[in-house]
Structures are given as C-alpha cells and as structure tokens.
Amino acid sequence: MTQSRSLQKTLGIGLTLGAILLWIMAISGAILVSQNKLNELFDSALAETAQRIMPLAVVEIMNRDETGLPQNIMSFETHDEPLTYLVRNRSGKILLQSHNAEPSIFNQVLLEGFNTSGTHRLYGAWAVQKTIHIEIAEPLSQRKAAITEMAITLLWPLILIIPLCFIGTWAFVHYSLRRILIYRNEIESRGSGDLSPVSVTGLPTEILTIAEPVNDLLDRLRRALESERSFTANSAHELRTPIATALAQIQRLEKELPEGDSKERAFKIEKTVRTLSNLSEKLMQLAKAEGGGLFSNEQHDLTSIIQLVTDDLRRSSNVKIIEYFPPESLGIKSKIDPDAFAILVRNLLDNAIKHGSQNQPVEIHFSRQDELRIVNAGNIVPAEHLAKLRQRFVRSKTTAHGSGLGLAIADAIVTGIGASMLLNSPATGRPDGFEVVITLSDS
Ligand SMILES: Nc1ncnc2c1ncn2[C@@H]1O[C@H](COP(=O)(O)OP(=O)(O)O)[C@@H](O)[C@H]1O
Ligand SMILES: [Mg+2]
C-alpha cells in the first residue's frame, strides 16, 4: 500500500517550489533584457567618448613641434582609468595615448566601429580623411560587475520569499481544508452505534462527491441493521407464546404420567424448553442492547433501579447480595434508559449468583457516580478466557446453565451508552473471585 501523504504538506511544498521557479524565471528574463539595454547604453557612452576625444586629439597632434613621437596625455594625478585610448596614424604608429593605455589590448589592425576582444569592448573611428585613427577600450569586467550586482539585488528577496511562501501556502491550505477537518472530527467523535448521516455543509465539491455516497452507505447500513435487529426481536417475541404453551403442556403431562421412563423424558423435555425460553429472552435483550434507544428523555434514579433488580433476585436465589451504597451515591440520576440499565445490572448479578461460590455473598458497590462494581467469590477465570467472554456464546469452564450471551448483552449496553466495562479475575484485593467494573462517567 502506498503511504498516505498530507495534502497540506504536498501542496505547501509544491506551490512554494512553483512560486520559486516562476520567480527565478522572471528574474532571468529581467536580467537578460537589462543586460542588452545596459550594453547598448555602455556602447553609446563609449562611442560618444571617442567622438569627444577625437577633435581634442587632432588639435593636440597638429600643434606639436616634433611630430612622430608618441605622447602621453598629461595626467592630473594618479587615478583609476576605466576607459583608455590610443590615437594612431594610418600606418598604425601611436601618436597619442591615455596615460595608462596598454597598447597590447588594442586591435593591431585599425578597425572602425564596435568589436569585442577577450577582455575589452573596443570602438574605433577615423578622422581627418582617414589619416588619424582613435580606438577606445573599456574593460568587460565593468559590465559584468554591473549585471552581477543587479542579479544579486533581484535574487536576495528569495531568501525571505521561500519561508513566507511556504508558511502562506500552509496556512491557506489549512484554512481551505477546515471543513474537511470538521467532517473528520465529526466522524471520529461518533459512538459505534451512531449511524446517522454526517453533516456535509460547506464541504468542498471534491469531498462532497465522497461524503454524500458515504451518507447513503450509512443509511443503507442502518436500515439493514435495524431490520436484522427487529427480526431478532420479533422472532424472540413470537417464540414466547408457543414456548410458554409448550411448557404448560409438558408440566401437565408430567403430572399425568406415572413414575418411570416417560416421566423422566418429560422432565428432560421441560428442561430443554426452559433453555429455549431463556435463550429467546436473552436474544430479545441483545436486540434491545444493540438497537438504539438506550437513552430516555427523563432522568432516572440509578440506585433505585439497582435495588429493584437486587430485591427481585433475592426472592429467587439463596445467595446473599450485599449493597454498598455510600450516601453520595443515593439519588444519582441519569438519562440512561431504565430498562436497559436494569437488563445490564440483572445480567451481571445473575452471573455473580450463578457462577460465583454459592456460600459467599455477592457484593454490589456503587461507590461514586461513575463506578459500579459487582464482585463475587469463586474460582479464578484464566486470563485467556477473560479476554473472550464478551463475545456471543462464549463461556468459560462452568457447571451452571447458560447461553453465553449475558456478557455480550452487558457489553453492547455499555458500548451503546458510551461507558466502559472491565472484567477482573481475581477480583481487586482478593485472592480469587470475579469482578466487573463499569465506569459510567462518559455517558
Ligand atoms: N461473575 C462471574 N463469576 C465467574 N465467572 C463468570 C462471571 N460472569 C461471567 N463468568 C464467566 O463468563 C462466561 C460468560 O458469561 P455470560 O456471557 O453471562 O454467559 P452465561 O452466564 O450464560 O454462561 C460464563 O460462562 C462464566 O464462565
Ligand atoms: Mg450470564
């Protein structure tokens, strides 16, 4: 699988590189045009200088007493001379030269107009009917320095522009993606049971084309799950009457039958039908636990629901149940559906009575608003079994009857109300036993 990349990072880097590339291309164009213009300007200055010097040089040469000797133009004081010139006669003899002119850099042939040597830009011109020639030289390094200086001036803002561009694109992309982040957070914060459509307002068109089909998919999934649950609940409900009728018939039959094999068989059938009855009851509870509606609109007193279930179980079992309800736990109210909460407590207490040791009491602690603990004595359940007990139809080593659905129902309710359930064996602070800790704080 290709590794997923952050869109923000990819766009940030891509756009910054693009902007830098365009910047460099624009600067290169600007430098090229400026270079041509600068050359033109330098050339015209060179020609202008030659034409200015020429009449002065001609007058100087004409007025000399001793012609034929090269003469240096008097220098005012030592100074750096970027432009140097030579004045020569037709045969190439130097008549006049600027004070630091180096004859070797000039053309040996007397040329007219502009030309370039390896180091200099030169301009040659004739005067006095082509008898006197002036050639003026300007070092190329001067032009190069001007262009380099200009390029540096144009390029250095890049140092500032690169981070600014990166931060700018990063922030802009983050801003543009904000709706997608809200969308993601909404999906992330959902409970597992929430299959309602996710809000798509303000999403960019590209994501909307994904988000809408996802909502359609959620809708189809919700309908499929609902129909599956209502089928389970309806089937279990429909089974109740025939099972109850069958039980009644079998019990009548047991009374009518004489002692012996047939009666024994009738007892066995009764046992099977009871198991079937319990199973259909559990399936109904599971359908409720996994369906919606685990919250009611009103607040209900959780402690009194626990007490109601406990009292009911005390009537049907010999195991002692001790309640530990500190004063601050009394009258705790919650919006959890009272039926669902009763199903949860009943299943856990049922287990504690059924699977725990019969001669020791079951403890029920509702110590703080957010913690319900049900503890019983008994053999330790191995850790590898403990991890799987929440799965449907999974049971550990036990002689008690059961369907393996009690903890699956409890788990479904706890998940549905956004609480958490911990199974411990041995129970906290004991050498043996089993403990279920439910933390309601999130619900
Ligand atoms: N309070 C408990 N003490 C000891 N073992 C327990 C307790 N509760 C659950 N168990 C173990 O977890 C298994 C699964 O429980 P459950 O899903 O309620 O199914 P059932 O009670 O029908 O066996 C039980 O078979 C039992 O081995
Ligand atoms: Mg059980």
Side-chain angles (χ1 to χ4, degrees):
M1 204 178 82
T2 44
Q3 219 183 354
S4 68
R5 277 201 214 142
S6 152
L7 192 60
Q8 206 171 342
K9 195 172 157 190
T10 314
L11 284 178
I13 293 173
L15 290 175
T16 308
L17 284 181
I20 292 168
L21 215 73
L22 281 179
W23 181 267
I24 290 174
M25 271 161 65
I27 288 176
S28 309
I31 290 173
L32 223 72
V33 172
S34 319
Q35 195 176 15
N36 285 340
K37 284 287 159 205
L38 263 176
N39 278 338
E40 271 174 31
L41 271 174
F42 274 112
D43 280 355
S44 88
L46 200 63
E48 188 69 20
T49 316
Q51 282 151 18
R52 291 265 164 206
I53 292 171
M54 188 59 130
L56 299 172
V58 170
V59 172
E60 163 82 23
I61 293 161
M62 294 298 183
N63 292 343
R64 265 185 212 161
D65 319 330
E66 223 180 308
T67 47
L69 281 177
Q71 196 174 336
N72 267 1
I73 271 300
M74 188 183 68
S75 106
F76 297 100
E77 56 188 59
T78 324
H79 64 276
D80 217 12
E81 228 178 23
L83 293 184
T84 52
Y85 60 87
L86 280 189
V87 179
R88 288 175 282 191
N89 65 13
R90 210 186 180 98
S91 57
K93 189 163 176 241
I94 298 169
L95 305 174
L96 190 71
Q97 66 181 70
S98 58
H99 85 275
N100 61 347
E102 179 60 58
S104 65
I105 62 161
F106 290 87
N107 288 310
Q108 298 313 305
V109 189
L110 304 180
L111 298 171
E112 195 165 10
F114 291 105
N115 55 79
T116 313
S117 73
T119 51
H120 287 75
R121 180 76 169 157
L122 301 138
Y123 178 76
W126 286 101
V128 200
Q129 277 123 28
K130 280 206 164 193
T131 52
I132 296 179
H133 179 268
I134 182 164
E135 194 165 46
I136 184 155
E138 183 211 343
L140 285 177
S141 58
Q142 206 169 323
R143 295 180 181 209
K144 278 186 196 143
I147 292 293
T148 318
E149 213 167 290
M150 190 179 70
I152 291 172
T153 318
L154 287 173
L155 278 171
W156 81 258
L158 262 187
I159 300 168
L160 206 73
I161 280 175
I162 294 172
L164 268 182
C165 188
F166 191 74
I167 295 169
T169 354
W170 187 278
F172 186 72
V173 172
H174 186 80
Y175 173 77
S176 316
L177 291 180
R178 73 199 184 287
R179 290 278 170 196
I180 301 172
L181 295 180
I182 293 173
Y183 179 70
R184 184 198 64 186
N185 292 345
E186 200 187 322
I187 295 177
E188 239 172 28
S189 62
R190 280 174 170 232
S192 60
D194 189 357
L195 291 175
S196 62
V198 189
S199 156
V200 294
T201 39
L203 277 182
T205 335
E206 292 82 356
I207 305 296
L208 202 64
T209 48
I210 302 171
E212 279 174 346
V214 166
N215 273 347
D216 287 347
L217 189 70
L218 278 179
D219 189 47
R220 274 186 307 204
L221 195 63
R222 194 181 60 246
R223 273 185 281 142
L225 280 175
E226 270 168 12
S227 75
E228 188 207 340
R229 279 174 200 147
S230 71
F231 174 76
T232 323
N234 288 342
S235 325
H237 187 74
E238 291 301 320
L239 279 174
R240 256 187 190 162
T241 325
I243 289 173
T245 318
L247 254 174
Q249 297 284 353
I250 293 163
Q251 279 163 351
R252 268 182 63 189
L253 190 66
E254 279 165 9
K255 281 190 192 129
E256 286 165 16
L257 283 173
E259 292 297 324
D261 262 7
S262 309
K263 196 163 183 155
E264 278 303 308
R265 238 178 283 155
F267 281 131
K268 277 187 187 150
I269 296 172
E270 186 194 342
K271 208 173 135 194
T272 314
V273 176
R274 275 194 194 284
T275 311
L276 192 63
S277 167
N278 285 337
L279 184 63
S280 75
E281 194 59 41
K282 292 281 176 199
L283 282 176
M284 261 196 350
Q285 290 181 3
L286 190 62
K288 177 167 174 63
E290 289 184 337
L294 293 180
F295 288 100
S296 67
N297 292 328
E298 292 141 41
Q299 303 258 2
H300 296 274
D301 183 350
L302 296 184
T303 327
S304 54
I305 298 173
I306 300 174
Q307 258 155 357
L308 245 131
V309 177
T310 322
D311 290 344
D312 193 33
L313 285 170
R314 277 194 187 111
R315 278 193 286 275
S316 58
S317 143
N318 300 324
V319 177
K320 205 174 163 201
I321 305 172
I322 309 174
E323 292 157 348
Y324 293 93
F325 294 164
E328 73 265 20
S329 74
L330 297 175
I332 288 171
K333 291 195 186 296
S334 164
K335 281 201 164 181
I336 302 170
D337 179 64
D339 285 344
F341 191 66
I343 292 176
L344 170 69
V345 176
R346 175 176 273 276
N347 272 292
L348 297 179
L349 281 176
D350 251 348
N351 278 352
I353 293 167
K354 205 162 64 165
H355 304 294
S357 44
Q358 301 300 301
N359 48 9
Q360 289 196 53
V362 169
E363 290 174 12
I364 173 158
H365 302 256
F366 197 24
S367 51
R368 291 199 316 271
Q369 179 174 2
D370 56 356
E371 198 176 89
L372 172 69
R373 233 157 42 91
I374 295 173
V375 188
N376 59 272
N379 293 336
I380 294 174
V381 177
E384 64 270 23
H385 290 190
L386 210 57
K388 292 182 189 151
L389 292 183
R390 295 158 200 253
Q391 293 170 18
R392 296 171 190 186
F393 304 109
V394 172
R395 311 185 74 211
S396 183
K397 272 183 222 140
T398 174
T399 48
H401 292 292
S403 54
L405 285 176
L407 287 180
I409 294 166
D411 191 51
I413 294 176
V414 163
T415 313
I417 60 174
S420 68
M421 178 168 80
L422 255 175
L423 306 180
N424 296 327
S425 186
T428 319
R430 291 179 180 230
D432 66 346
F434 192 93
E435 171 191 55
V436 183
V437 185
I438 291 180
T439 311
L440 299 167
S441 58
D442 304 337
S443 56

